[in-house]
């Protein structure tokens, strides 16, 4: 009974790396460190370029700044436990620390989903109402959208954390990943977690589920607007302004969909596959978004080259 009581009051969790590959963690940690370095440096560069270039003080780049900040938050949230597992072989994490990490991982994931939706709305307005673009997406409107995005994420995730706090756990609990996720914490509970599971599903439906539907609708409206443009050259130009955003959407939703499929249908798959998919889901978007926007967005690309050449002189 004393063991059970201690599990309720002070549960501990063990993070999992790549099962069977522990001897290679030193080598595995090197590409992971490289990914984090590029992600953080890339997103800071995007923020710096937008901040220092007055010509980029436009709605599209304000939303891009939100995306870069979100990716920085996601990277810095997962960084500590990833390196504690793969670099220092330190797997243990307290319940409160795990809960905090889970809270911010899901907050930044929901924020990223909403920012991608806001960016789709931005592209729709730019293509549909080019002359009124700046008048519609004023600074006040953009700030309001940003506050609404953050407020929704905070409001959705907080009750999930509170419900997890009410559950009972073993004294030591083994997690499936090198970071803490809501569905993983639920699986370790020794008490009834039906309410937590249902609420977690509702959060996914009300955030990423709803956002993905609205994203699809936004692009149907964009496509309809583009097809209504008389000039072929103007149609191609309008679609080209969406390429970077489409890449960002695919980079975010494809790993998430893959991870969901693995969880639901991959019970017989190796634990390594589950961990790899979870790592791809959290590591790839912050890595690829600054690369995609630096390469595909001419204004960002040119400003980066300009800054780089100026430093070489």
């Amino acid at each position: 009974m004393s063991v059970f009581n201690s599990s309720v009051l002070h549960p501990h969790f063990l993070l999992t790396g790549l099962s069977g590959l522990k001897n290679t963690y030193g080598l595995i940690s090197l590409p992971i460190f490289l990914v984090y370095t590029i992600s953080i440096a890339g997103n800071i560069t995007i923020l710096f370029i937008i901040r220092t270039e007055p010509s980029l003080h436009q709605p599209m780049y304000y939303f891009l700044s939100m995306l870069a900040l979100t990716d920085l938050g996601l990277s810095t949230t997962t960084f500590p436990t990833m390196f504690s597992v793969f670099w220092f072989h330190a797997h243990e994490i307290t319940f409160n620390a795990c809960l905090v990490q889970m809270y911010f991982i899901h907050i930044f994931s929901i924020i990223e989903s909403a920012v991608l939706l806001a960016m789709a709305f931005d592209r729709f307005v730019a293509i549909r109402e080019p002359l009124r673009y700046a008048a519609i997406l004023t600074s006040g409107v953009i700030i309001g959208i940003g506050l609404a995005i953050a407020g929704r994420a905070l409001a959705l995730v907080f009750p999930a954390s509170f419900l997890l706090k009410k559950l009972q756990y073993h004294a030591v609990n083994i997690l499936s990943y090198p970071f803490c996720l809501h569905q993983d914490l639920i699986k370790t509970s020794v008490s009834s977690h039906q309410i937590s599971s249902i609420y977690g599903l509702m959060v996914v439906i009300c955030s990423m589920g709803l956002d993905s539907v609205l994203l699809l609708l936004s692009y149907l409206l964009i496509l309809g607007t583009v097809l209504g443009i008389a000039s072929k050259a103007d149609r191609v130009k309008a679609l080209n302004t969406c390429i970077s955003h489409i890449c960002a959407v695919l980079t975010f939703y494809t790993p998430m969909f893959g991870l969901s499929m693995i969880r639901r249908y991959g019970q017989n798959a190796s634990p390594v596959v589950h961990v790899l998919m979870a790592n791809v889901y959290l590591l790839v978007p912050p890595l690829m978004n600054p690369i995609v926007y630096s390469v595909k967005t001419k204004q960002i690309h040119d400003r980066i080259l300009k800054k780089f050449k100026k430093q070489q002189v």
Side-chain angles (χ1 to χ4, degrees), residues 13 28 35 48 65 82 86 95 97 120 147 162-163 167 177 189 192 210 231 239 250 255-256 265 270 277:
F13 295 84
I28 293 171
V35 167
F48 174 76
S65 297
M82 288 282 283
F86 288 107
F95 177 58
L147 291 175
F162 178 77
L163 290 171
L167 298 179
Y177 311 110
S189 170
S192 175
L210 178 62
S231 168
L239 285 175
L250 292 175
M256 184 179 71
Y265 302 111
S270 167
M277 284 303 301

Side-chain angles (χ1 to χ4, degrees), residues 27-79:
L27 291 175
I28 293 171
S29 65
L30 294 178
I32 291 176
F33 178 76
L34 183 62
V35 167
Y36 273 112
T37 302
I38 295 173
S39 300
I40 293 171
N43 284 295
I44 288 176
T45 299
I46 293 289
L47 289 169
F48 174 76
I49 293 296
I50 293 173
R51 174 68 180 83
T52 57
E53 288 290 336
S55 62
L56 299 182
H57 294 175
Q58 302 174 30
M60 172 184 173
Y61 302 105
Y62 290 144
F63 287 122
L64 180 55
S65 297
M66 292 183 195
L67 186 66
L69 282 171
T70 304
D71 284 336
L72 275 175
L74 197 57
S75 294
T76 53
T77 299
T78 55
F79 179 88

Side-chain angles (χ1 to χ4, degrees), residues 102 106 164 177 181-188 259 263:
M102 180 225 74
H106 289 295
L164 284 174
Y177 311 110
L181 297 177
H182 180 262
Q183 60 274 16
D184 207 18
L185 284 169
I186 285 178
K187 287 194 302 184
T188 64
L259 181 60
R263 284 203 205 104

